[in-house]
Structures are given as C-alpha cells and as structure tokens.
Amino acid sequence: QVQLVESGGELVQAGDSLRLSCAASGLTFSNYDMGWFRQAPGKEREFVVAISWSGGSTDYADSVKGRFTISRDNAKNTVYLQMNSLKPEDTAVYYCAAAFGTARLPLRSAYEYAYWGPGTQVTVSS
C-alpha cells in the first residue's frame, strides 16, 4: 500500500531551476526520514540528499551542496527537492525514498531505505 510518487522532472537548460515533489501515501509520513537519489545511464544509483523525519537535519552530497535544497511538509505528506543552477551532469532519473526515522543522519546508502518511488526523469541540456 505504500506509495511514493515523484513528479516535476523535465528537460531544462543548464542554469535553470526545477522543483521535484514526492508525494507519499500508505505510511505515517512523519515517522520516516526521506532521501533523494539519482541514477544516470550506466552509472550506479547515488545519494543526493536526506532529511530527517522532523526536517530538522539535512545531509547533502558534495555534488549538489549549495545548489539543491530539500524540504518536507509533513502535513501534506510531501518531500521536495529544489534544484537550482542545474548542470548537464545532473541529468538522471531522480528517486525519492523513505527510511524509518531515527533522525540519525547521514543516510547515504540506498540499502538504508525501505520504500522507493518509480523515479522522474531530469534532463539538463547544455
């Protein structure tokens, strides 16, 4: 019954901004830490950012720090990824994921997450 559904991915130009959303259902959203991962063709799925159950703690991969911002709205069961200054190397399928919350960040391994969305494609052209 648990569903995570990403939205917002599209083709954009380098330097543009994009906001991804992940709507969760079938779980008590505030009990879960949330993360964003991405996977480019031929590459391993990589950690992007995580946020604790309360939103009080965040952890960003070096590749996106200063450009991306994660946030969550527990009342709406939604986590967001604001992506600014996009680069071609940001091109990937972006996945949101849920891990039972301990507020013990970082959570950088995909194996730490129990639930995953199907992903949304972000393409950044030069």
Side-chain angles (χ1 to χ4, degrees):
Q1 287 190 32
V2 174
Q3 285 192 336
L4 303 177
V5 182
E6 304 94 340
S7 62
E10 61 184 70
L11 192 157
V12 297
Q13 296 278 359
D16 285 354
S17 295
L18 203 58
R19 189 175 81 158
L20 306 183
S21 298
C22 175
S25 62
L27 52 75
T28 302
F29 187 66
S30 60
N31 285 346
Y32 289 82
D33 302 324
M34 300 295 296
W36 286 95
F37 289 74
R38 65 187 183 185
Q39 188 167 24
K43 295 286 189 177
E44 194 171 315
R45 188 170 298 187
E46 67 172 343
F47 169 79
V48 178
V49 62
I51 187 167
S52 64
W53 64 271
S54 66
S57 298
T58 58
D59 182 55
Y60 293 86
D62 289 343
S63 59
V64 305
K65 189 175 182 180
R67 299 188 297 120
F68 292 8
T69 303
I70 191 171
S71 61
R72 66 189 295 163
D73 187 339
N74 286 352
K76 296 182 178 180
N77 288 0
T78 302
V79 62
Y80 305 95
L81 183 64
Q82 178 65 46
M83 308 164 68
N84 297 329
S85 301
L86 283 163
K87 304 174 181 180
E89 51 262 46
D90 295 319
T91 295
V93 176
Y94 282 72
Y95 301 90
C96 67
F100 189 80
T102 63
R104 189 177 179 183
L105 300 182
L107 294 171
R108 296 178 178 176
S109 172
Y111 296 108
E112 297 178 283
Y113 294 82
Y115 302 109
W116 293 83
T120 185
Q121 176 71 50
V122 173
T123 302
V124 184
S125 66
S126 60

